[in-house]
Structures are given as C-alpha cells and as structure tokens.
Amino acid sequence: MSWHRRHLLTLEELSLVEIDQIHATAAAFKRTLSRSVKKVPALRGKTIVNLFLEPSTRTRMAFDMAAKRLSADVISLDAASSSTSKGETLRDTAENIQALQADMIVIRHAAAGSPLYLSRILDIPVINAGDGAHEHPTQGLLDTFTMKEHLGSLRGRKVVILGDILFSRVARSNIHALVKMGAAVTLVGPSTLVPHWFTELGVQVSHDLRGALADAEVVMLLRIQHERQATGHFPSLGEYTSMFGLNKTRASWLDPRAIIMHPGPINRGVEIDSDLADGERSVILEQVTNGIAVRMAVLYLCAGGQPENVMPTE
Ligand code: CP
C-alpha cells in the first residue's frame, strides 16, 4: 500500500497500517545507520527547517541528524534567535520560511494545534515535533518502535504509563498508537493528573501502583510537566515521589523481563531513581537512538517517498 500523507500532525489521525508503514521504513533506515557510510541520498537538494519555539534536546537533535542522514540541508531556528521574540506572528514566521524556499517545516510550539494551523496555510509539509499538551507523534512512533523491538507484536501486551498524564503530549500520542496496535494500556498516577475520563480513549485508569506494575511488560515513566501546570496538582514533589516514584522497592514488583522507558528529559530521584534509569531493564537511550531512524522515515515519507513493505509480526 502506498503513502499519501503530506503532514504528520497527530497519531490520532493515523491508521494502524500507516503506523506499521512508518515503523517498517524506520527499520530499513536503522539498518543504514550501522553502516560505515550512514548517509543516503533520499532528500538530496531539499531544505528542512526545524522551528523549535519551545526547548528541546532529543527531538531537535534527532530531527537534525535524521535530515542530514537523508542528505537534506537543515536550518534550525529557536525562540530566542528568531524574530518571534520581536513580536512576529507564527503565521508570518512560517510564511517567510516558505518564501525562503524551505521544502518542509518541523515545528515545536507551546500552543496545541499550531502544526495543524500551519498545515492549513502553507503549501509545504508540516511535521509536529510537539504541540503543547496535545501530541508528540514522532515520540509515540519511536516509543512503540522500541517496544516492538523488545516484544514483537504489541497485541495484548501490557503497558503501564505512570506519571503526569494530564499534561503529557507523549502520553496522548502513545495512547493513540498503542490502542490501535492492540496493547492493553493502564494509566497510573495521582487522580488529579490521571482523570478517569482518559478511559474514553480505550485505556484503563488505575491508582493502584503495585497492582499495575505487577502485570506490566512495559512501564513508561513521565516527568511532571511544571511548565504546563497553572496550579499545583499534588502537595509537593517529595509527596509525588513518595507515592508514585519508581524506586528499587517498586521495581521489585515488576516482572524481571519488563522494560523501563522514559521519553526524557528525566528528573532523577523524582519520577525514577538513577539506579533504574541506568539499569539493565532501562531502554531509555535506545529510545533516543531509535528517534533518528523513525524521524528519517517520517521526513522521507512526508517528502513523497514510499514505505517499505510491512512484515507481519503475528
Ligand atoms: N522527549 C522529548 O521530547 O525530549 P526533548 O524535549 O529534549 O526534545
């Protein structure tokens, strides 16, 4: 089946077939990354602009590396060095980037819906690199790609997402992908950060950390998103950690084969202890590495490339 989508805005709108196509294409690009010559000529002559109007380490660098591995030219712009700091609107900034002959724009923005907005006013592909608390589709794709590398098919697999779900774009993108892939997802955390209405997305909500961890094949930790919380949703960080932080005792409730994930940035000693973040079961840095291949696949497909054949995993 061919690929028709020009923009990557959300995982909510992607079909299971499209998610599988991105994963299959990422797997092919991942193989090229272990060669001595890591570059492929797929996007030679194209210019990609990374417009990051919120801070980022992993996503911005991975998009940068992905574009370079595809032989594209890359220009990165952040909030401090762009004219948005002088009052220019997002629309004007984006239209100027297009007028400068960019072929694609990757945007991170604090406002939910800003990538969708740009996709409606620009003629070039728009890739969402995180919009407010809404979605972070390439993170959801690289997380599920990493899970598949460890578990094979995710159908029926038990995934616990633990932490600040309410303000997490990573949680939303993972939920949309995991539910389509047939995983059994349980969200855990304080009731103020994991409201019951999330069950409408096809997941379970639990405040019983021990019970949820005992069943989990994957546990994904999320940090507290202070930058998006207008008021305190729990008494203090110390109380959050004492109730929900993943420490040695709580990790002993997990099956020894369960993997530990985190999208980063990690707040060590808050949502996860250092021993576990750096331990044998942690795949946190594998997630980061997989972010390059997954973003290569997204850039390549949205630029008009065609997907690798999907290999059945069941
Ligand atoms: N996971 C993630 O989005 O990290 P950055 O904010 O560093 O890009």
Side-chain angles (χ1 to χ4, degrees), residues 262-311:
H262 195 308
I266 296 172
N267 288 148
R268 290 173 182 264
V270 179
E271 70 272 10
I272 184 168
D273 278 2
S274 274
D275 286 354
L276 298 165
D278 303 329
E280 276 183 359
R281 287 188 279 183
S282 168
V283 300
I284 294 170
L285 293 178
E286 287 178 39
Q287 291 171 256
V288 177
T289 304
N290 284 336
I292 304 171
V294 165
R295 288 172 177 120
M296 285 173 81
V298 167
L299 294 175
Y300 171 72
L301 293 171
C302 291
Q306 285 306 314
E308 289 292 305
N309 289 329
V310 174
M311 301 298 285

Side-chain angles (χ1 to χ4, degrees), residues 52 55-60 108 136 139 169-170 263-265:
F52 274 63
S56 169
T57 297
R58 283 148 288 272
T59 311
R60 180 171 159 174
R108 170 169 287 194
H136 191 348
Q139 183 71 46
R169 54 195 177 206
V170 174

